Amino acid sequence: MKVISIFNTQQKFLQRLAKQDRKAQQELFDQMAPKMLAICGRYISDEHMAEDVMLKGFLKVFQKINHFQNQGSLEGWVHRIIVNTCLDHLRGQKKSSFKEVFTEEIPDTIDFTEESWLDIFTPEIIQNCLNQLPVGCKTVLNLYLFENWKHQEIAASLNISEGTSKSQLAHAKKLLKSMLLDFANQKAFTQQN
């Protein structure tokens, strides 16, 4: 009985959205905006630009709500539109952001246990390191790790080769590892003195 009630409530909400009901749009925005802004922030380091891109994404959601087939979750559908809006924004930026890179292995200087990782690297520290990655590396890393895209999908979406996608991911991991190791070494040095 409860499942039918929830389904009917969602259907009515979707109908309100399809009719461009401003209150329904505001409800959807209020419910999903914080999560969608965090997604934009993973791709776009500038806070104000990330917010602008999120707003453009929601505009697309409201314009295309009739295309939602009710297969899967509404949040998943909105998420995909937001990610694609971020990618559209990045495509409009520098074309040279996505080039094949070759890097050397970065040596470990500290041996971490799972507990020490959690103590040293807060989500804020990790996000700060992610924000310092070059745009191409950061974009491929986000699509691969957070969106679970395969290199073939990433390459097609970004108009790059699969090899470049793999290269960008490897480079992103190495840069991120280096930044985190530098931070950990600096923290360890500070604690010793």
Side-chain angles (χ1 to χ4, degrees):
M1 191 95 164
K2 218 173 196 182
V3 172
I4 292 172
S5 175
I6 291 170
F7 179 77
N8 286 338
T9 303
Q10 183 175 346
Q11 284 301 108
K12 288 178 184 174
F13 183 66
L14 288 171
Q15 289 170 355
R16 289 175 54 213
L17 286 170
K19 292 178 183 176
Q20 301 298 312
D21 179 316
R22 298 288 182 214
K23 287 184 181 180
Q25 291 174 339
Q26 188 66 50
E27 285 177 45
L28 182 69
F29 182 83
D30 291 344
Q31 179 186 357
M32 295 187 186
K35 192 179 277 187
M36 298 305 135
L37 182 58
I39 291 166
C40 291
R42 283 198 326 247
Y43 291 92
I44 303 162
S45 300
D46 180 88
E47 195 176 303
H48 298 293
M49 187 55 66
E51 189 174 334
D52 285 349
V53 170
M54 180 199 65
L55 293 172
K56 287 177 187 174
F58 270 103
L59 184 59
K60 289 179 184 179
V61 166
F62 298 143
Q63 291 170 342
K64 297 179 180 206
I65 194 67
N66 290 325
H67 296 243
F68 178 61
Q69 301 290 318
N70 213 5
Q71 297 171 337
S73 72
L74 178 60
E75 184 177 333
W77 185 76
V78 171
H79 178 120
R80 183 69 178 213
I81 289 174
I82 295 294
V83 168
N84 286 333
T85 305
C86 289
L87 296 178
D88 289 344
H89 170 77
L90 293 172
R91 278 187 215 103
Q93 302 299 304
K94 300 176 185 174
K95 294 279 185 190
S96 62
S97 296
F98 303 100
K99 57 185 173 214
E100 197 158 351
V101 290
F102 301 97
T103 59
E104 301 168 9
E105 187 62 33
I106 297 168
D108 290 332
T109 54
I110 288 183
D111 186 30
F112 294 109
T113 63
E114 187 174 329
E115 295 80 28
S116 70
W117 276 91
L118 298 175
D119 291 338
I120 296 172
F121 305 121
T122 64
E124 293 80 17
I125 292 168
I126 294 170
Q127 184 62 51
N128 185 36
C129 291
L130 287 171
N131 286 340
Q132 293 178 46
L133 291 174
V135 173
C137 291
K138 180 178 177 179
T139 304
V140 171
L141 181 77
N142 277 311
L143 292 172
Y144 187 83
L145 291 180
F146 298 111
E147 308 304 334
N148 295 316
W149 287 18
K150 306 287 183 226
H151 286 292
Q152 184 178 11
E153 293 173 283
I154 295 169
S157 179
L158 299 177
N159 200 24
I160 58 175
S161 71
E162 283 185 56
T164 299
S165 177
K166 291 175 184 177
S167 172
Q168 289 284 326
L169 179 63
H171 189 56
K173 287 179 178 179
K174 289 175 183 176
L175 288 173
L176 190 56
K177 180 179 178 181
S178 176
M179 285 186 264
L180 292 172
L181 287 171
D182 286 347
F183 180 84
N185 287 328
Q186 184 180 20
K187 186 171 182 175
F189 179 77
T190 304
Q191 289 175 345
Q192 289 174 353
N193 293 330

